[in-house]
Amino acid sequence: MSGKEIEKIAVLGGGLIGAGWAVNFLWKGYPTAVYDVSEEALEAARKRVSGSFDYLAAKGIVSADQARVAMGLARYTTDIAAALKDADLIQEAAPERYEVKRDLLAQVDRFAKEEAVFASSTSGLLISRIAEGSKHPERCLGAHPYNPPYLIPLVEISKGEKTAEEYLQRAYDFYRALGKEPIILRKEALGFIANRISVALYREAVDLVWRGVCSVADVDKAVTFGPGLRLALMGPNLIYQLGGGQYGVKGILHHIGPTVEDWWADMADWKKWPEGWGDMAQEGVLKEMEERPASQGRTPEEIARWRDDGLITLLRFHGKI
Ligand SMILES: NC(=O)c1ccc[n+]([C@@H]2O[C@H](COP(=O)([O-])OP(=O)(O)OC[C@H]3O[C@@H](n4cnc5c(N)ncnc54)[C@H](O)[C@@H]3O)[C@@H](O)[C@H]2O)c1
């Protein structure tokens, strides 16, 4: 091996995202060591991984044999040195705090191969700050998945001030070979691309409920049965291109441009959550869940399964699985 190919992987933190990444890596044939801080956490990770493979097998995405072989490539350990020893890619998926990620990186500096890629799953922390104090900031980058990582193709690759292009490219090539849709951010941005857009939409959704325009359930309905259906197929620029007639994407400026500026002037631009929103949202969502068709699930577990069934249909339509 050249030392530059990614053959073995270590996942640090086997929670929702770490276990999800492990499923993806194992599914594609990469021996993967999952490290977590306790035997209980590892047991939970093992269960998540086997539950996900059972699901993929039930959906006909992998055969029972493939699932068995894939799960045989996993190693679960509380010994971080053992997890890191052979890894060519380290996918960090520990809690979203700078100090946790920096402590892990110190262990990586100690036990991992010098040329191994360190890829943090952070949802929006700055890589430059995570890599502060690391002996090898050149190999540190962000590789942010969307949940569940083994189904959703997007991986946002972000760099810090000292990240080397060579590592970004290696990560990009690896995630592409894994079947993902990676994007390399050209510069650092808190929250990256997709989460910034998600929370911009969510701020307006919160504000509409907060100012009494609609209920929690109705704002969800508006997104699900309106723009959400198109957004699952294409991004906002292409949507406006199709809607712009002879003007193409510029049509939005010609047709409703000035009106949109009036809307923007009236829309939410607060920077702090409205006080009490958490309780209001919780009450609204519990009601929304109770009123869903039973066939589409009413508990979080049932709804997540129904969501994954829908994702698989969409991913097949996109030709991604
Ligand atoms: N939840 C999401 O939808 C989502 C999506 C994309 C990215 N992320 C990011 O992924 C990371 C993990 O999030 P999650 O949702 O899987 O959290 P989680 O709480 O489900 O899992 C975290 C895991 O880390 C383990 N852990 C705790 N301390 C640790 C340590 N010092 N070293 C190693 N492992 C440790 C915990 O035991 C747990 O198993 C975060 O950075 C988060 O922002 C989350």
Side-chain angles (χ1 to χ4, degrees), residues 30-45:
Y30 291 93
T32 301
V34 178
Y35 160 80
D36 210 309
V37 289
S38 67
E39 287 302 333
E40 296 74 53
L42 286 181
E43 191 46 37

Side-chain angles (χ1 to χ4, degrees), residues 21-217:
W21 269 128
V23 170
N24 205 151
F25 301 144
L26 296 165
W27 175 6
K28 301 296 170 179
Y30 291 93
T32 301
V34 178
Y35 160 80
D36 210 309
V37 289
S38 67
E39 287 302 333
E40 296 74 53
L42 286 181
E43 191 46 37
R46 233 186 242 114
K47 278 203 184 120
R48 270 192 214 278
V49 169
S50 74
S52 302
F53 274 111
D54 287 350
Y55 176 70
L56 292 173
K59 298 299 288 181
I61 293 170
V62 296
S63 68
D65 254 10
Q66 284 172 318
R68 193 180 36 75
V69 170
M71 284 190 283
L73 295 172
R75 208 154 42 89
Y76 296 87
T77 180
T78 53
D79 178 348
I80 194 162
L84 291 171
K85 192 164 103 31
D86 301 325
D88 306 302
L89 175 96
I90 298 146
Q91 185 76 49
E92 175 274 311
E96 185 77 342
R97 294 200 304 278
Y98 280 112
E99 67 276 17
V100 173
K101 297 192 189 288
R102 283 193 197 125
D103 285 354
L104 281 170
L105 197 43
Q107 304 296 312
V108 169
D109 281 347
R110 236 178 116 195
F111 298 116
K113 294 195 262 188
E114 210 165 280
E115 70 276 16
V117 179
F118 177 84
S120 174
S121 303
T122 176
S123 297
L125 301 177
L126 294 177
I127 301 307
S128 296
R129 288 196 57 199
I130 292 176
E132 263 169 26
S134 163
K135 270 199 273 175
H136 294 291
E138 73 282 358
R139 56 138 158 223
C140 299
L141 48 90
H144 173 239
Y146 252 54
N147 186 47
Y150 55 89
L151 288 182
I152 300 207
L154 179 65
V155 182
E156 295 176 311
I157 300 180
S158 59
K159 56 186 167 189
E161 282 155 18
K162 297 186 179 159
T163 311
E165 286 299 320
E166 177 207 332
Y167 284 90
L168 287 171
Q169 195 57 47
R170 208 185 315 159
Y172 180 88
D173 293 344
F174 167 73
Y175 291 111
R176 249 209 103 71
L178 202 65
K180 314 307 283 180
E181 286 288 350
I183 296 174
I184 301 182
L185 274 71
R186 295 189 184 143
K187 48 163 87 168
E188 282 199 290
L190 282 166
F192 312 130
I193 304 169
N195 273 345
R196 285 176 84 112
I197 292 171
S198 297
V199 296
L201 182 135
Y202 193 54
R203 178 166 58 187
E204 192 52 37
V206 171
D207 204 63
L208 285 163
V209 177
W210 193 250
R211 55 163 98 179
V213 176
C214 59
S215 65
V216 167

